Amino acid sequence: MSQAEVQARPRRSKLRSNEGKAGWIFVSPMLVILGLFLVLPILMAVWVSLLDWNTNDGDPFAGAGTFVGLDNYKNLLASEGLARQDFMTSIRNNAYYVLLVVPLQTALALLLASLINARRLKGRGLFRTAFFFPSITSSVAISIVFVFLFVGNGGVNKVLGWVGFSGPSWLTDPRGVFWILLDKVGLVDIDSPPGALAEHGVLGLSWWDWFAGPSVAMTAVMMLVIWTTSGTFMLMFVAAMQDIPEEIDEAALMDGAGGWQKFWYVTLPQLKPVLFLVLTLGLIATWQVFDQILIMTQGGPDKTTLSPAYLSYTASFTGQDWGGGAAISFVLFAIILTMALIQRWVMRDKDLPRKKRRGRTKPPPPAIPTRRDDKVAS
Amino acid sequence: MTQRSFTRVLLYTLIVMIAVVYIAPFVIQVATSVKTNPDATSNPLSLWPNPFSTEAFKTMFGYGDNDYVNFPLWFTNSTVVAVFVTVGRVFFDSLAGYALSRLQFVGRRFLFLAVLAVLSVPGVVLLIPKFLVLQYTGLYNTYGGMILPLIVDAAGIFIMKQFFDTIPYSIEEAARIDGAGVFRTFWSVVLPMTKPALLTLTILSFQGSWNEFTHMLVATEGPEHQTLTTGMAGLFSGAVGSAQQFPLKLAVAMVATIPVAIVFFVFQRRFVAGANAGSVKG
């Protein structure tokens, strides 16, 4: 219950009697816009996902298109065919992307925050600006810069050349990273994959394809995203770190904890709520990767950077399969919701009692911090 | 060397190296924007253009021999969108945030839960739905279709509601006793007290709408309504896409970044606040 409610409840006087009408008038623009451009369109898309429809058929809400029931969903999940193969490929690509980007961006953000927060650091504001700036730029503009850096004869490979590596042709290399690693240690030959893996599979993809790992092209997209998002998450960690009472730090030092021990046993447990928030936001955002792929790789090479979001866009706008595209959106929606719920369950505070000895002196900050600005800006 | 100064050297080495990685792409971008095409391709890392060339900028502003980069139009469209969306969001989000925080009316709690539900809808899931509704309402490929759907945002409402919650009711009570109406009290008494939140919201809205890509992608087609983001994306298909004109592409991307960069450097504190308060934006 908000502060205002607590104060206002006993005074339900004549003074506030006209608030009912005003309340609805105040929220009416919100209702109209969110209703018209969010709730209504979702319902429309649910309907279209049950149709075989393209834009030349006419108005789908006046009977145009063919009603096909759940066929569009079946094509993605059950029936054999290109639709399922593409969708499963996109799921594979995105799953590897999530599995690598979320931990790496979180770890990097935590590292940056620790560095920024180091007591003896001078020029803190300058470094914070440098790390944060990429986060506020346009995803399209920054993707363009990264295409330039990652082309075959581009800057990244020049730098790798200085230290004696010859870099791959990043944006056009479809080889899975796991393949390359296994090939390097001599376990498999990338050009003639073991028959047992290549000839059998599930859901339209061979085991060899499922276990490919992210393609080289996808790793370039991943580097871009980790580089741009770490700054924002860094700020959230810095804010939380500054909320840790100084006594806890001092107590740990007095007890003789080293820097690493202190971080692991004292700082990190205190950061648990914000860590949870960062992981959740990361998970939700990474399942939606779209802009960077559209600019950098358009789903290629060999569909290895296809993501469900990008696939739903091309299926509809390029392929004119609007029912299929809409169905992909809703399956993606379900995936994101499920992942968020699973994560919530995994990270629930099951071990809270055990941690008491670590001295939780104050309740964890609210999941969505407000008015932190004055403390963060140093 | 004592251990203390050793860790200090280590700290600075590490942080400076990381900072270089974060800044280098922008520095390379600036340098490349004034290179010739062959120079950019063969010396992608050199910070010294050889020869210095303003060809990219001439092309952008229509003085080159190409006419597929209508930068002035893109810039104008982005500006129009950003101005209307920012003004709209600041006003409507405050109104709704105030009502949800303060006013007593039936359904308030339900509406707040609805706003939270809306917040949790992933953006890319809305690509096709948005196209469908814009087609249906005839707003497809119009400025109305580009602006109206963005003019209220749930995250902004949430930020404002949280802020109004921190302002004690006694302040507006005096105004109400003096006979001021609800809107009057909101407008002249409460709103002026939320200046920090309003500034944060203004900046977040400007940055968000200036950088908005996916909505513009599904709301428009053809050259007239291209904004900077859709215009830049178009550079990767068609005539320029195949001919790797990196100086041109990087110059457009650079100038497109400048307005947000200026706002960032002037109001950095607000961005920092926004990153924390606005973390509700999934």
Side-chain angles (χ1 to χ4, degrees), chain A residues 115-118 121-133 234-235 238 242 376-378, chain B residues 15 19 23 264-265 268-269 272:
Chain A
L115 292 176
I116 288 279
N117 220 31
L121 184 72
K122 292 215 179 77
R124 178 168 298 149
L126 215 60
F127 289 114
R128 194 186 54 199
T129 304
F131 300 151
F132 184 40
F133 184 67
M234 168 197 77
L235 288 182
V238 168
Q242 289 175 348
V376 182
S378 56
Chain B
I15 202 166
I23 298 169
F264 173 74
F265 286 113
Q268 204 184 144
R269 277 163 151 262
V272 173

Side-chain angles (χ1 to χ4, degrees), chain A residues 2-5 7-9 11-12 15-16 18-20 22-24 26-27 29-31 33-34 36-38 40-42 44-45 48 53 55 59 61 108 111-112 115-116 118 120-122 125 127-138 140-142 144-149 151 153-155 158-159 162 226-227 230 232 235-236 239 277 281 288 290-291 294-295 298 309 312-313 316-317 322 325-326 329 332-333 336 368-374 376-377, chain B residues 4 7-8 11-12 14-16 18-19 21-23 25-26 28-29 32 40-42 44-45 92 95-96 98-109 111 115 118 120-136 139 148-149 151-152 157-158 161-163 165-166 168-169 173 176-177 182-183 186 207 211 213-214 217-218 229 232-233 236 246 249-250 253 257 260-261 264-265 268-273 275-277 279-282:
Chain A
S2 71
Q3 208 180 332
E5 275 173 87
Q7 292 177 353
R9 181 131 307 172
R11 310 177 201 244
R12 201 178 277 272
L15 209 54
R16 311 199 63 165
N18 56 345
E19 286 186 3
W24 282 98
F26 274 43
V27 296
M30 165 187 98
L31 285 178
I33 298 293
L34 294 185
L36 192 59
F37 296 111
L38 208 122
L40 175 68
I42 290 179
M44 291 167 101
V48 168
W53 175 77
T55 43
D59 184 358
F61 311 105
L108 180 59
L111 171 71
L112 296 180
L115 292 176
I116 288 279
R120 290 195 294 272
L121 184 72
K122 292 215 179 77
F127 289 114
R128 194 186 54 199
T129 304
F131 300 151
F132 184 40
F133 184 67
S135 316
I136 60 117
T137 57
S138 135
V140 178
I142 209 67
I144 291 177
V145 177
F146 267 62
V147 171
F148 177 63
L149 294 175
V151 288
N153 52 2
K158 279 259 154 63
V159 173
W162 294 343
I226 293 170
W227 179 78
S230 46
T232 309
L235 288 182
M236 293 166 66
L277 182 64
L281 292 174
Q288 301 189 60
F290 179 83
D291 305 5
L294 190 140
I295 301 295
Q298 295 89 44
S312 91
Y313 171 77
S316 304
F317 285 85
W322 290 84
S329 306
L332 177 60
F333 195 175
I336 293 174
I368 295 134
T370 51
R371 301 195 67 184
R372 280 278 174 68
D373 42 315
D374 300 328
V376 182
Chain B
R4 199 157 208 192
T7 38
R8 178 177 289 194
L11 168 71
Y12 277 101
L14 188 60
I15 202 166
V16 167
I18 300 178
V21 173
Y22 275 75
I23 298 169
F26 298 108
I28 292 170
Q29 179 182 20
T32 309
T41 311
S42 46
L45 288 178
F92 294 129
L95 270 184
Y98 180 72
L100 293 176
S101 162
R102 270 300 198 279
L103 302 181
Q104 293 182 338
F105 60 100
V106 182
R108 180 179 74 167
R109 191 164 309 227
L111 283 178
V115 169
V118 162
S120 65
V121 176
V124 291
V125 167
L126 294 170
L127 291 180
I128 295 166
K130 274 185 176 168
F131 170 80
L132 292 173
V133 80
L134 292 175
Q135 276 253 314
Y136 189 72
L139 287 169
L148 286 176
I151 214 160
V152 169
I157 294 171
F158 189 85
K161 193 244 175 213
Q162 297 290 90
F163 199 90
D165 282 350
T166 65
Y169 176 69
E173 196 173 31
R176 297 294 295 280
I177 291 171
V182 178
F183 185 78
F186 161 74
Q207 181 228 3
N211 290 345
F213 175 53
T214 49
L217 186 68
V218 299
T229 50
M232 283 191 285
F236 278 76
F246 279 117
K249 289 172 182 170
L250 294 183
T257 309
V260 171
F264 173 74
F265 286 113
Q268 204 184 144
R269 277 163 151 262
R270 293 291 122 209
F271 272 97
V272 173
N276 288 296
S279 56
V280 285
K281 286 189 180 175

